[in-house]
Amino acid sequence: MPTIKDVAKKANVSIATVSLVIHNNNRISPKTKRRVQKAIDDLSYHPTRSARGLVSQKSGNIGFILTEDHFTRSEPFYSQIFLGTEFIARNYEYYILLTTITPNFSGEDRLPRFVLENNVDGIILAGKVPDLLIERLQEYKLPLAFVDYYPSTGNFPVVMIDNINAGMQATQHLIDCNHTKIAFLAGDFEHPSIHERFQGYKMALEKAGITFDERNVISDLPYPSRKYGYQAVTRLLSQCPDITAIFACNDAMAIGVLRYLKEHGLSVPHDISLIGFDDVEADIYLDPPLTTMRVPKIDMGIEAIRLMVDFLNNNISNPRKVLVPAELIVRQSTCSAA
Amino acid sequence: MPTIKDVAKKANVSIATVSLVIHNNNRISPKTKRRVQKAIDDLSYHPTRSARGLVSQKSGNIGFILTEDHFTRSEPFYSQIFLGTEFIARNYEYYILLTTITPNFSGEDRLPRFVLENNVDGIILAGKVPDLLIERLQEYKLPLAFVDYYPSTGNFPVVMIDNINAGMQATQHLIDCNHTKIAFLAGDFEHPSIHERFQGYKMALEKAGITFDERNVISDLPYPSRKYGYQAVTRLLSQCPDITAIFACNDAMAIGVLRYLKEHGLSVPHDISLIGFDDVEADIYLDPPLTTMRVPKIDMGIEAIRLMVDFLNNNISNPRKVLVPAELIVRQSTCSAA
DNA sequence: TTGGCTTAGTTAAACGTTTAACTTGTGAGT
DNA sequence: ACTCACAAGTTAAACGTTTAACTAAGCCAA
């Protein structure tokens, strides 16, 4: 491997000059620049990361932190976001270092190795992470950015799904199909995202002049899953049999709903229209394929890197918030009301 | 951030001693070791990656190279392998740096930045990569390991699916269900993996004393996909209407087959049993859920890292090959022949 | 007493860059 | 002719480690 010294010798200049040429400093005359550049090319020299990192105190890496349960869960939501960051990072000459942490991070737990080793220039945190972790990270003065989670305290760059708008859009789609008896199946309201989707649901109803009816909402189940989707719709139809459309807060619930309706001889979409949220891979294989709101997971990762790089390069002081829009994907589980 | 100097001062020793304590060198007395260790703990000192990397010429990183098409394809096969490497790497104190390269890598293309910057200690290559790339990488004397691809020249550590055995197992499962008229839908034989599955198919037949019939094999389609699965079964059933079981070389084809059979009023599994290969997420949502051979993608990544780390630590000279087994997942698309 | 061996450290160079501070040469202004 | 400013480089320190080579002290055998 050639070093900067080899280049300097070959071009008959000092190593400082070589460095200045590499950084395109205008203290060097065009003529010398050309000569040095030729030497660089001839030797196919490239500065070493460690040496550069040591003196500049920049690693060229961005850390990505996930809790273990988020990483290993079956639905690959956060790993898609992660892949988004990996994908775009190279355009900005950064590499991503991934690590997971335990969801019950405590005082005894060590911080991620890349923090201790000074091996990242900034950190992206995806999903809910413990407050204590955030506090401890801040001691290291590393820029932080959040994806799909907004810490209760502090003012950070953040990327969130535009859940309110998406909730409105989904509901509006059902309204456009002439539905008025529209249910919302929440699972629970623990997660802010779901509550926001619910707000969007209510806003769309209001805008259309449909009075909101509490009995059309099921929100007292542990969390949104296939199993609880099945349970939710069971109760819904017993208390409101005249429902013609259902907005499930995510696709997992929608799949449970679909199973129930099939088992009870109700046709989707003819008897009941159904819309989900997320756009999981399985949706297109369902019978009928599920209409849903597509969440651009990859894009969320991309946006997070953009925020981080903006910050790193320009040291923008006031942190930006990005709301990424979800997209309505109309398939065959929704149609006009009879 | 405290440096090694701060520790040395606090413990009243030279920085060399601190370094030796960190590396647990037995030239230092237990007493001194304790004193230094206390200073390290009190200051919560941790050596810096760049400085360590500069002098030791080790980055602590492993590179992961994929061709762009492999990364962006919808079926997340290679990205799962990648996540497997990410997942396990931390146990060995390595980080993974990902990059993609163009599938038509030529002389003009630059090598991945992490190679030029001396920022990886070894490289894992997943899927088919251009020979030229391999040649160019070897000039850098970096250890290479391959996953799901075996370069035609050279002797490298490699992780492959045990396709022959898996092909046998899948076929054996159908035989165990008393089927004898068993078709194999290959799409094409371009990819060695598929040809190996086919070999397994033939071996299982032979072992069971079933004579192999060429007409039960469709292998002249461009590649295995849903679309070509549909076409393949169309032709198959016209030339061999007495088939009772089908082994599709991957799940994509199997899904196409399933659609055809449904559309033509054939019941799966009662009229025809169907087995796929891969275990994609959608399988469980199909009607009926698809019996298949599960490929442990995550495990493949894990094995690749193990090979690489073994090599890096012990410099094992003779490269190991690992065959990871696929696992039969019996669902509802196969049953006993009538 | 001398020499040699062992133990427990220390000294100092080296790794490959970046960059602040300095130098040298040239031309313009007075 | 002298100063001053500027252009185009160079010198040398610094970044934070690791490690080969050295040293000093203690002990033991001859």
Side-chain angles (χ1 to χ4, degrees), chain A residues 21-92:
Chain A
V21 168
I22 289 169
H23 294 88
N24 200 20
N25 187 306
N26 55 9
R27 205 152 78 240
I28 309 297
S29 73
K31 199 171 136 194
T32 309
K33 265 188 188 169
R34 275 196 301 278
R35 187 156 39 92
V36 171
Q37 191 56 55
K38 179 158 174 10
I40 289 177
D41 293 345
D42 288 357
L43 296 171
S44 72
Y45 162 77
H46 214 278
T48 292
R49 186 72 257 179
S50 322
R52 182 177 273 206
L54 180 55
V55 53
S56 70
Q57 301 287 35
K58 299 261 162 268
S59 64
N61 301 324
I62 294 173
F64 191 101
I65 299 183
L66 264 174
T67 57
E68 280 151 21
D69 48 342
H70 282 161
F71 186 64
T72 53
R73 67 198 279 172
S74 57
E75 190 51 54
F77 183 78
Y78 291 108
S79 46
Q80 287 297 107
I81 294 178
F82 169 65
L83 289 174
T85 65
E86 282 282 3
F87 189 67
I88 197 73
R90 57 176 316 206
N91 297 352
Y92 297 104

Side-chain angles (χ1 to χ4, degrees), chain A residues 195-242:
Chain A
H195 196 260
E196 287 166 14
R197 289 169 202 179
F198 175 59
Q199 285 179 258
Y201 161 79
K202 283 203 293 191
M203 288 164 67
L205 291 187
E206 184 167 6
K207 189 176 148 216
I210 302 172
T211 32
F212 166 69
D213 183 347
E214 239 182 23
R215 293 176 316 140
N216 293 349
V217 178
I218 307 284
S219 64
D220 54 355
L221 291 159
Y223 50 87
S225 65
R226 276 186 273 158
K227 177 177 157 193
Y228 292 119
Y230 190 96
Q231 285 189 22
V233 70
T234 307
R235 223 180 42 250
L236 174 75
L237 291 184
S238 77
Q239 71 193 40
C240 315
D242 56 343

Side-chain angles (χ1 to χ4, degrees), chain B residues 19-126:
Chain B
S19 182
L20 292 171
V21 169
I22 288 170
H23 293 88
N24 201 20
N25 187 305
N26 55 7
R27 205 155 77 239
I28 309 298
S29 71
K31 198 172 134 192
T32 311
K33 263 188 190 170
R34 276 196 300 278
R35 187 157 39 93
V36 171
Q37 190 57 55
K38 178 156 174 13
I40 289 177
D41 293 344
D42 287 357
L43 296 171
S44 72
Y45 162 76
H46 213 279
T48 292
R49 185 73 258 176
S50 324
R52 181 176 274 206
L54 180 56
V55 52
S56 70
Q57 302 286 34
K58 298 262 163 267
S59 63
N61 301 324
I62 294 173
F64 191 101
I65 300 182
L66 263 174
T67 56
E68 280 151 20
D69 47 343
H70 281 160
F71 186 65
T72 53
R73 67 198 280 170
S74 59
E75 190 50 53
F77 183 79
Y78 291 108
S79 46
Q80 287 297 109
I81 294 179
F82 169 66
L83 289 175
T85 65
E86 282 281 5
F87 189 67
I88 197 72
R90 57 176 314 205
N91 298 351
Y92 298 104
E93 309 254 283
Y94 278 98
Y95 287 109
I96 306 294
L97 306 189
L98 172 74
T99 201
T100 59
I101 51 143
T102 160
N104 17 333
F105 184 83
S106 84
E108 283 102 65
D109 291 303
R110 311 205 106 205
L111 286 174
R113 189 165 52 86
F114 57 54
V115 174
L116 301 173
E117 291 183 341
N118 235 278
N119 202 9
V120 291
D121 301 336
I123 300 183
I124 291 172
L125 298 108

Side-chain angles (χ1 to χ4, degrees), chain A residues 13-204:
Chain A
V13 291
S14 70
I15 63 166
T17 303
V18 177
S19 181
L20 292 171
V21 168
I22 289 169
H23 294 88
N24 200 20
N25 187 306
N26 55 9
R27 205 152 78 240
I28 309 297
S29 73
K31 199 171 136 194
T32 309
K33 265 188 188 169
R34 275 196 301 278
R35 187 156 39 92
V36 171
Q37 191 56 55
K38 179 158 174 10
I40 289 177
D41 293 345
D42 288 357
L43 296 171
S44 72
Y45 162 77
H46 214 278
T48 292
R49 186 72 257 179
S50 322
R52 182 177 273 206
L54 180 55
V55 53
S56 70
Q57 301 287 35
K58 299 261 162 268
S59 64
N61 301 324
I62 294 173
F64 191 101
I65 299 183
L66 264 174
T67 57
E68 280 151 21
D69 48 342
H70 282 161
F71 186 64
T72 53
R73 67 198 279 172
S74 57
E75 190 51 54
F77 183 78
Y78 291 108
S79 46
Q80 287 297 107
I81 294 178
F82 169 65
L83 289 174
T85 65
E86 282 282 3
F87 189 67
I88 197 73
R90 57 176 316 206
N91 297 352
Y92 297 104
E93 310 254 282
Y94 278 98
Y95 287 110
I96 306 293
L97 306 187
L98 172 73
T99 200
T100 60
I101 51 144
T102 159
N104 18 332
F105 184 83
S106 83
E108 282 101 68
D109 291 302
R110 312 206 105 204
L111 286 174
R113 189 165 53 86
F114 55 54
V115 174
L116 301 173
E117 291 183 340
N118 235 277
N119 202 10
V120 291
D121 300 337
I123 300 184
I124 291 172
L125 298 109
K128 186 166 165 52
V129 288
D131 282 347
L132 178 61
L133 173 70
I134 301 177
E135 283 171 33
R136 299 268 310 276
L137 287 176
Q138 286 187 275
E139 294 165 15
Y140 286 79
K141 307 278 178 212
L142 284 166
L144 306 181
F146 290 82
V147 190
D148 197 49
Y149 176 69
Y150 195 74
S152 52
T153 154
N155 184 26
F156 302 100
V158 64
V159 179
M160 299 286 283
I161 302 167
D162 189 352
N163 282 298
I164 296 188
N165 248 301
M168 282 186 63
Q169 263 188 80
T171 312
Q172 187 62 49
H173 169 63
L174 297 173
I175 293 170
D176 290 346
C177 296
N178 292 319
H179 294 280
T180 54
K181 306 279 187 186
I182 302 173
F184 184 85
L185 303 188
D188 66 317
F189 283 145
E190 263 304 282
H191 200 295
S193 299
I194 294 180
H195 196 260
E196 287 166 14
R197 289 169 202 179
F198 175 59
Q199 285 179 258
Y201 161 79
K202 283 203 293 191
M203 288 164 67

